[in-house]
Amino acid sequence: MEEKEQDKEAKWEHDTQARWYVAHTYSGYENKVKTDIEKTVANRKLQDQILEVAVPTQDTVEMKNGTKKQVERKVFPGYVLIHMFLNEDTWYVVRNTRGVTGFVGPGSEPVPLTEDEIKALGIDIQKVVIDFKVGDSVTVTAGAWADTVGVIKSINEHKQSVTITVDMFGRETPVEIGFAEVKKIEY
């Protein structure tokens, strides 16, 4: 048994690409698990290892008492999707989150989703080609920071995001923005 654990850890340490994994949860705990994992990631500073936690939902129309009502339903009740680099730390964080019963895979061994499975779920895995570098000035084109101008301080290829500094309340504050939401300022 101990030998299998060592093999698993050794294999995980060589995982050089973030992949999507599925964790099984108690039914109804999906959003709580998502929130708890995100809090743990922030507390342990694992943002570069656990990149995203998702509970896929879809809008449906329900008829109740003769009236139509728009309702958001979970696509996979009892499951949470996690985009991460699998290693001992990330496995431990997910596996020991309250409400998680294990990973989907043989013997609860995490098995990543295939590209076809990811596409079928509607998750966009295309890489964004960037035309900017650290030190460039950019304009934010979407989201809460739309129309904000900032200077790129770092680029995270894995998360496909940049960290820019913006002037807020008279001091520079770092803000992380996705590649698709920034545009290089041409002079």
Side-chain angles (χ1 to χ4, degrees):
M1 182 76 161
E2 194 171 305
E3 193 173 298
K4 276 187 177 178
E5 289 294 320
Q6 288 175 342
D7 288 346
K8 188 188 309 181
E9 288 173 23
K11 182 178 77 177
W12 291 352
E13 294 305 319
H14 299 294
D15 198 1
T16 57
Q17 183 180 352
R19 300 173 193 270
W20 284 94
Y21 295 90
V22 181
H24 188 265
T25 69
Y26 294 127
S27 189
Y29 277 69
E30 301 88 354
N31 291 329
K32 176 98 173 94
V33 165
K34 177 183 187 300
T35 302
D36 289 351
I37 291 173
E38 289 171 342
K39 283 180 186 173
T40 304
V41 165
N43 290 341
R44 293 186 177 204
K45 300 191 181 353
L46 295 173
Q47 294 91 336
D48 60 337
Q49 294 179 52
I50 297 179
L51 309 178
E52 186 178 348
V53 183
V55 178
T57 59
Q58 93 183 51
D59 290 332
T60 58
V61 177
E62 246 181 34
M63 287 291 288
K64 269 195 178 172
N65 300 328
T67 59
K68 287 184 182 180
K69 185 179 179 185
Q70 185 105 5
V71 179
E72 191 176 70
R73 293 228 182 269
K74 292 178 184 76
V75 178
F76 305 109
Y79 295 95
V80 174
L81 303 178
I82 304 160
H83 192 213
M84 67 181 195
F85 291 91
L86 184 61
N87 59 45
E88 193 177 343
D89 292 337
T90 58
W91 180 88
Y92 181 85
V93 166
V94 174
R95 190 66 186 88
N96 290 291
T97 298
R98 185 183 200 120
V100 173
T101 59
F103 280 97
V104 172
S108 282
E109 167 131 359
V111 174
L113 294 172
T114 65
E115 280 194 30
D116 290 339
E117 291 168 330
I118 292 168
K119 286 178 185 169
L121 293 173
I123 298 171
D124 187 15
I125 56 169
Q126 294 178 346
K127 289 236 177 207
V128 177
V129 178
I130 58 173
D131 65 343
F132 41 77
K133 61 188 181 312
V134 172
D136 284 349
S137 292
V138 292
T139 302
V140 180
T141 59
W145 295 96
D147 300 323
T148 302
V149 174
V151 176
I152 297 176
K153 292 298 179 191
S154 67
I155 299 174
N156 186 329
E157 293 282 337
H158 296 299
K159 290 178 81 173
Q160 295 193 3
S161 66
V162 295
T163 300
I164 63 172
T165 55
V166 296
D167 187 34
M168 189 182 334
F169 306 120
R171 66 179 195 205
E172 287 194 347
T173 304
V175 177
E176 189 174 354
I177 308 284
F179 285 169
E181 297 177 346
V182 293
K183 185 174 138 194
K184 182 177 175 181
I185 298 174
E186 301 291 335
Y187 292 102

